[in-house]
Amino acid sequence: MSHSHTDQEAHNKEAMAEIKKVTIILSVFTVIELLLGFWMMGMTSVGLKLAVKGTIVILMMAKAFYIVAYFMHLKHEVKNLIMTIVVPLMLFLWFIGAFLWDGNSFRNLRNDYDPYFKEQATIKVEKKEGEHGAAKQEAAEVKEIAAPAEKH
Amino acid sequence: MSTTTTASPNEAKLWGGGKSPFNSEYGKVMMWYFLMSDAFTFGAFLISYGTVRFSTNGWPNSNEVFRSFPFAPDGVHAPLVFVSIMTFILIISSVTMVLAVHAGKNMDKKGVVRNMIWTIIGGLAFLSCQAWEWNHLHSEGAWWGMNPFLNADGTASSTNFTNFFFTITGFHGFHVFSGVVINIIMLIMTLLDKFEQRGHYLMIEKAGLYWHFVDLVWVFVFTIFYLL
């Protein structure tokens, strides 16, 4: 390293400023996410809820970018190294899209062709508070009725 | 060939041998590739959660499930509060890890030791919070194969919700645990002057990559389970 002493000091200052900046960004994004979460609790409009959820996902991706790029220093690595890591991760675009699509399609198919599955989504259950036994029993019952539906 | 300046001379020199094309140490590059594969493992878990949730008509409301707080009276309704504390603990421990790596680059042993200790404390604090939350949910009757919570619309729920919750947060918690163990080993090696003898603190950087990855995964787990 051919850095002089003052060069090193300037570099240190820069690095510390970067750490401070990213810490603030991560904290602020988290607080915004939480505020959106609290706001969403009493929300009835499906469209608005979806928009808020979309915003939360964007904030989540931004936080992930800041952690990987600055805390893990990926941004300061050689471009070829960055590409060997980022390009394989592009597989997630298909992974997420295909599987969520598949899950959605499966629900629609079952609602169309499995009357029992659809009926289960309309029967309200009495809420059992507190007791351990009741909760366990209820879980067991649910498991039993869920089993035949999955055989299709 | 003295006139190959047209294509990309830098690249030819980069891969021509005699120097590291990635300008990075072997172990660090391999740590990156391990983390990439681990990202696919966590990704597969979270995507299967999404697939199952999309294929189901009803799903429990996370604000009803995760609403309690240590030392709070029964029946308290404080959704998102406890998990936001857990999130900030992990973010702060990630920051102290960056500071430890930074101190290591300057060969500042004292700074490394101080920040590694803070990082370990943060990791242990996070694990304690998670242990409390698991214990609390278990006392309410939630576990693998047991789901006391109804769907948000009042219909009967399956055990998918609790199965995914305990599997994914458990897998993440196991990563945090191994991260704390790795950090403790790094702290001991620093105290024994191992890195001073080697002349570099690259091992702290590698442990740091792992620790930041654990924080990164929590960003996704936190958002997907508690917010969406």
Side-chain angles (χ1 to χ4, degrees):
Chain A
M1 293 281 158
S2 57
H3 282 307
S4 71
H5 191 66
T6 43
D7 262 3
Q8 189 65 37
E9 241 166 45
H11 180 75
N12 267 348
K13 233 178 181 176
E14 215 175 280
M16 290 305 277
E18 191 181 274
I19 294 170
K20 209 171 165 186
K21 190 188 87 180
V22 175
T23 307
I24 291 169
I25 288 173
L26 288 178
S27 308
V28 169
F29 281 10
T30 307
V31 169
I32 295 174
E33 276 188 340
L34 288 167
L35 289 177
L36 288 173
F38 279 115
W39 184 39
M40 207 161 54
M41 277 175 203
M43 210 175 268
T44 44
S45 157
V46 178
L48 191 58
K49 217 169 177 173
L50 209 63
V52 174
K53 284 185 178 184
T55 315
I56 288 174
V57 170
I58 291 167
L59 284 169
M60 170 179 86
M61 297 310 291
K63 277 164 74 182
F65 167 79
Y66 276 103
I67 291 174
V68 175
Y70 295 100
F71 278 6
M72 296 170 91
H73 271 278
L74 191 60
K75 216 179 170 191
H76 303 299
E77 300 286 357
V78 174
K79 200 184 161 206
N80 286 327
L81 174 56
I82 298 176
M83 286 306 155
T84 62
I85 293 156
V86 172
V87 171
L89 289 178
M90 292 293 153
L91 191 60
F92 271 121
L93 294 178
W94 162 81
F95 202 174
I96 296 167
F99 275 73
L100 293 188
W101 194 321
D102 194 43
N104 197 44
S105 152
F106 187 41
R107 188 192 65 227
N108 290 337
L109 286 173
R110 281 202 288 184
N111 280 334
D112 283 348
Y113 299 111
D114 184 350
Y116 179 76
F117 178 79
K118 200 176 179 189
E119 190 191 7
Q120 283 304 303
T122 57
I123 301 171
K124 306 246 187 250
V125 183
E126 281 286 310
K127 196 169 185 179
K128 291 167 192 162
E129 280 288 357
E131 286 170 68
H132 286 203
K136 277 177 197 170
Q137 201 186 342
E138 187 187 76
E141 274 167 27
V142 169
K143 223 159 91 181
E144 260 169 52
I145 50 175
E150 275 163 11
K151 274 183 190 155
H152 283 274
Chain B
M1 292 267 210
S2 56
T3 53
T4 45
T5 45
T6 42
S8 51
N10 287 333
E11 213 158 291
K13 270 187 227 158
L14 201 60
W15 295 95
K19 69 182 214 175
S20 162
F22 284 169
N23 192 27
S24 195
E25 190 237 358
Y26 175 79
K28 212 168 134 186
V29 175
M30 289 304 126
M31 179 54 96
W32 268 111
Y33 294 149
F34 163 68
L35 293 180
M36 188 175 71
S37 71
D38 220 17
F40 277 110
T41 312
F42 271 109
F45 270 138
L46 289 170
I47 290 166
S48 61
Y49 168 84
T51 308
V52 168
R53 188 170 171 178
F54 269 55
S55 71
T56 316
N57 278 323
W59 202 254
N61 179 358
S62 57
N63 296 320
E64 287 295 324
V65 178
F66 311 112
R67 58 167 183 202
S68 34
F69 203 81
F71 311 116
D74 266 357
V76 71
H77 194 84
L80 282 180
V81 176
F82 189 54
V83 74
S84 56
I85 290 170
M86 286 168 76
T87 304
F88 275 105
I89 288 172
L90 218 49
I91 289 177
I92 297 307
S93 83
S94 219
V95 174
T96 56
M97 188 78 227
V98 177
L99 294 173
V101 171
H102 184 69
K105 279 184 182 157
N106 292 333
M107 299 300 289
D108 168 16
K109 185 186 157 187
K110 259 190 186 165
V112 174
V113 170
R114 191 180 60 236
N115 284 304
M116 285 308 282
I117 290 172
W118 280 116
T119 310
I120 291 164
I121 291 173
L124 290 174
F126 180 86
L127 283 175
S128 313
C129 289
Q130 203 169 33
W132 182 85
E133 189 172 48
W134 272 43
N135 185 47
H136 178 76
L137 287 170
H138 183 62
S139 76
E140 285 187 322
W143 202 239
W144 277 278
M146 282 157 42
N147 184 5
F149 309 108
L150 297 179
N151 287 333
D153 57 4
T155 56
S157 61
S158 73
T159 57
N160 288 332
F161 174 74
T162 40
N163 288 344
F164 273 114
F165 175 79
F166 286 111
T167 303
I168 294 176
T169 59
F171 197 57
H172 175 262
F174 182 67
H175 274 73
V176 178
F177 173 73
S178 23
V180 169
V181 171
I182 291 169
N183 285 345
I184 289 173
I185 294 170
M186 291 302 129
L187 176 64
I188 293 170
M189 285 173 85
T190 313
L191 289 171
L192 293 175
D193 277 338
K194 290 273 181 208
F195 304 129
E196 291 285 331
Q197 286 157 20
R198 284 183 198 173
H200 58 75
Y201 279 84
L202 273 172
M203 284 300 279
I204 299 284
E205 278 185 50
K206 285 175 239 173
L209 283 180
Y210 184 78
W211 190 253
H212 294 312
F213 178 76
V214 166
D215 182 30
L216 178 70
V217 171
W218 182 250
V219 166
F220 288 92
V221 172
F222 157 69
T223 311
I224 288 168
F225 270 103
Y226 294 84
L227 284 173
L228 294 185

